């Protein structure tokens, strides 16, 4: 009787893995590395996923974020100020679904090649993938046995944490913080350099030029100094709006700011929790009304309820930020004219919120290739 052991987390007791006529499958690199350090060699599946499988994984991971919010036969409103909210979380949803769908295809391939009668899994795993794994095994009429796993602090969505570099004594150190703590740190750093920037501006007389005004989203002064200097020399008014790294964040960027016709704006941070709650309710109703659930099906498996839960949770996490950004930016448009928007990225939540607002207001948008110019 063929028995397979699926490990998506590190087991509490590795002795249970020493079972006759069983095959061990590590479903992520961390688990595989742990097993090999314990001299336990999992089954090698590196050649089991072929090119067609990878294409299928990418297609599904792209289709769900692109299509779920564009069902024309549903009358439920999921827009805010004329912007479809599903479009704003598209990239983060894609990045979050990609590893899950990869595991789905891998597990299906394992079952196809091993034809097991029993699968050993963590029956208490109520993560999204834990539910998906149980769904797959049930669909294939495979019996399950339990194995206890250590708890892990696996992030649910790619945007839940933000990574950035800090330069100390000529070396760059990578730091990762939870989303809310990152923005607290950003605000502290920004306030310090804003004081220095304002003091310096008191000494000079920067006048707004008569040429066009360009809004630059999340530009770094150091990486794009020559380009920004060229725009400044051509008498463009440059207005910076950064959501992640502050515009001025060290001495080098501060010195550069002295040589550029630079103006900074910040959006008001006023959360509308009532509106956020209303939109979340509407999105839940919208998801419930989806009748054509084929976009949530993978091969013979129906993951409709699981994928809908993923979409709803991500929306609930980001909706307040989305509504605040769009509302604050459109309020800014009442007093500030922008002739053009320059951005390096059209995938992040903040940029997408601004970009779709600009499209609605017929403001031209140019996305530049990220890198040194």
């Amino acid at each position: 009787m063929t028995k397979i052991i699926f490990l998506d987390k590190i087991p509490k007791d590795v002795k249970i893995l020493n079972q006759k006529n069983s095959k061990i499958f590590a479903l992520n690199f961390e688990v595989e590395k742990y097993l090999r350090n314990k001299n336990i060699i999992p089954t090698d599946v590196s050649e089991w996923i072929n090119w067609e499988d990878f294409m299928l994984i990418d297609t599904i991971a792209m289709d769900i974020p692109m299509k779920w919010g564009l069902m024309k036969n549903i009358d439920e409103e999921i827009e805010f100020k004329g912007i479809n909210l599903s479009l704003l979380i598209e990239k983060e949803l894609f990045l979050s679904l990609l590893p899950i769908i990869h595991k789905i295809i891998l597990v299906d391939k394992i079952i196809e090649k091993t034809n097991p009668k029993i699968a050993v899994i963590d029956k208490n795993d109520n993560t999204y993938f834990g539910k998906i794994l149980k769904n797959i095994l049930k669909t294939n009429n495979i019996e399950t046995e339990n194995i206890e796993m250590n708890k892990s602090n696996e992030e649910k969505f790619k945007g839940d944490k933000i990574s950035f570099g800090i330069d100390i004594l000529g070396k760059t150190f990578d730091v990762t913080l939870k989303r809310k703590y990152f923005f607290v740190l950003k605000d502290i750093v920004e306030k310090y350099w804003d004081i220095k920037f304002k003091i310096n501006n008191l000494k000079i007389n920067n006048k707004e030029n008569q040429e066009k005004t360009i809004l630059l989203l999340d530009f770094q002064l150091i990486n794009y100094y020559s380009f920004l200097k060229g725009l400044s020399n051509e008498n463009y008014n440059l207005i910076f709006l950064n959501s992640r790294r502050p515009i001025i964040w060290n001495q080098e960027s501060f010195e550069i700011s002295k040589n550029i016709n630079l103006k900074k704006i910040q959006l008001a941070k006023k959360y509308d929790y009532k509106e956020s709650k209303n939109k979340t309710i509407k999105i839940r109703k919208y998801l419930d009304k989806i009748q054509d659930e084929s976009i949530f099906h993978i091969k013979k498996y129906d993951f409709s309820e699981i994928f809908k839960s993923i979409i709803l949770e991500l929306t609930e996490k980001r909706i307040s930020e989305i509504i605040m950004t769009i509302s604050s930016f459109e309020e800014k448009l009442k007093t500030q004219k922008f002739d053009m928007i320059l951005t390096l990225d059209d995938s992040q939540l903040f940029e997408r919120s601004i970009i779709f607002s600009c499209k609605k207001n017929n403001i031209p948008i140019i996305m530049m290739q990220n890198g040194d110019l």
Side-chain angles (χ1 to χ4, degrees):
M1 181 181 292
T2 305
K3 180 186 289 189
I4 57 177
I5 303 173
F6 286 118
L7 299 177
D8 194 39
K9 300 184 183 70
I10 295 172
K12 286 186 176 181
D13 184 4
V14 296
K15 293 179 181 179
I16 197 173
L17 302 178
N18 297 322
Q19 300 185 35
K20 292 182 179 180
N21 301 320
S22 66
K23 294 183 178 181
I24 302 170
F25 293 94
L27 299 179
N28 62 59
F29 177 73
E30 181 185 359
V31 172
E32 181 172 348
K33 182 180 178 181
Y34 174 83
L35 294 177
R36 291 186 180 279
N37 288 338
K38 296 290 184 180
N39 294 318
I40 300 172
I41 308 301
T43 303
D44 183 10
V45 296
S46 58
E47 302 296 328
W48 289 16
I49 302 293
N50 57 37
W51 176 253
E52 289 76 16
D53 294 322
F54 282 118
M55 292 297 293
L56 177 63
I57 291 166
D58 284 346
T59 299
I60 296 169
M62 288 188 290
D63 279 353
I64 294 174
M66 290 174 61
K67 294 179 178 180
W68 76 267
L70 301 177
M71 303 288 186
K72 295 182 179 180
N73 61 327
I74 300 177
D75 59 2
E76 199 63 51
E77 178 71 44
I78 61 167
E79 292 188 349
F80 177 68
K81 291 185 179 293
I83 299 172
N84 189 308
L85 295 171
S86 71
L87 300 174
L88 304 183
I89 61 169
E90 183 181 309
K91 182 60 179 292
E92 186 177 358
L93 183 58
F94 165 76
L95 292 174
S96 300
L97 289 179
L98 190 61
I100 294 176
I101 295 169
H102 183 276
K103 288 180 184 178
I104 290 172
I105 300 301
L106 177 59
V107 169
D108 181 68
K109 187 75 70 170
I110 290 170
I111 292 173
E112 177 187 321
K113 288 183 174 291
T114 60
N115 191 27
K117 300 298 181 183
I118 299 175
V120 181
I121 64 171
D122 180 3
K123 290 186 177 182
N124 298 315
D125 183 5
N126 288 316
T127 63
Y128 289 126
F129 179 70
K131 294 175 182 178
I132 285 171
L133 181 57
K134 285 178 247 187
N135 180 313
I136 294 173
L137 297 174
K138 182 178 180 180
T139 302
N140 286 283
N141 297 313
I142 298 172
E143 296 180 24
T144 58
E145 293 180 1
N146 188 54
I147 181 173
E148 292 189 9
M149 303 285 190
N150 290 322
K151 292 183 179 180
S152 66
N153 295 321
E154 184 179 3
E155 63 186 53
K156 287 187 177 180
F157 301 106
K158 288 297 180 182
D160 286 347
K161 294 181 180 180
I162 297 177
S163 299
F164 57 99
I166 295 180
D167 296 330
I168 301 177
L169 299 176
K171 294 183 178 180
T172 300
F173 297 89
D174 293 326
V175 179
T176 300
L177 292 176
K178 288 184 177 181
R179 191 179 188 89
K180 63 179 181 179
Y181 297 133
F182 169 81
F183 287 116
V184 170
L185 177 61
K186 173 184 177 289
D187 287 344
I188 294 172
V189 173
E190 203 159 34
K191 285 177 182 177
Y192 169 76
W193 288 105
D194 276 352
I195 293 171
K196 296 192 68 172
F197 179 73
K198 289 175 181 177
I199 292 174
N200 179 71
N201 273 8
L202 292 175
K203 303 175 184 178
I204 57 179
N205 184 23
N206 275 344
K207 294 183 178 180
E208 188 167 292
N209 299 311
Q210 299 301 313
E211 296 294 337
K212 295 183 180 298
T213 296
I214 301 175
L215 176 67
L216 301 104
L217 299 180
D218 269 306
F219 270 74
Q220 294 185 28
L221 296 182
I222 296 173
N223 290 355
Y224 295 92
Y225 174 54
S226 59
F227 172 69
L228 297 173
K229 181 64 175 175
L231 290 178
S232 185
N233 289 342
E234 292 296 323
N235 292 322
Y236 286 103
N237 300 307
L238 305 182
I239 299 182
F240 290 76
L241 177 59
N242 283 25
S243 67
R244 292 185 292 279
R245 172 167 285 179
I247 302 158
I248 303 171
W249 61 281
N250 62 10
Q251 189 62 36
E252 183 179 1
S253 57
F254 176 65
E255 294 300 325
I256 290 174
S257 71
K258 298 177 182 179
N259 301 317
I260 294 175
N261 184 23
L262 179 153
K263 180 181 177 183
K264 300 166 57 180
I265 62 170
Q266 290 182 328
L267 300 183
K269 294 183 178 180
K270 295 180 180 179
Y271 290 98
D272 189 339
Y273 293 108
K274 183 178 180 180
E275 181 65 22
S276 299
K277 184 177 180 179
N278 289 337
K279 288 301 177 185
T280 301
I281 292 172
K282 287 183 179 293
I283 289 173
R284 182 184 288 110
K285 290 180 179 179
Y286 175 94
L287 290 168
D288 289 339
K289 290 183 179 180
I290 293 179
Q291 295 179 348
D292 180 8
E293 297 181 331
S294 59
I295 63 168
F296 302 128
H297 292 194
I298 300 176
K299 294 190 173 183
K300 60 183 176 182
Y301 309 108
D302 181 0
F303 301 118
S304 300
E305 294 308 312
I306 298 171
F307 284 142
K308 286 180 181 180
S309 296
I310 292 173
I311 292 169
L312 184 60
E313 183 178 355
L314 178 58
T315 303
E316 287 177 329
K317 282 191 168 189
R318 305 289 181 254
I319 191 67
S320 294
E321 194 174 324
I322 290 171
I323 288 176
M324 178 194 70
T325 301
I326 294 174
S327 297
S328 299
F329 182 71
E330 297 206 350
E331 191 66 27
K332 183 69 69 175
L333 289 178
K334 294 177 181 179
T335 57
Q336 174 68 61
K337 178 187 176 185
F338 300 116
D339 297 289
M340 181 190 302
I341 308 296
L342 285 182
T343 182
L344 304 171
D345 188 354
D346 66 350
S347 64
Q348 301 295 327
L349 184 67
F350 177 81
E351 282 85 347
R352 291 184 76 80
S353 299
I354 299 297
I355 287 170
F356 278 97
S357 181
C358 289
K359 284 183 176 180
K360 187 186 70 172
N361 287 281
N362 297 316
I363 301 174
I365 303 155
I366 296 177
M367 192 184 84
M368 297 170 47
Q369 178 67 47
N370 199 348
D372 294 333
L373 294 175

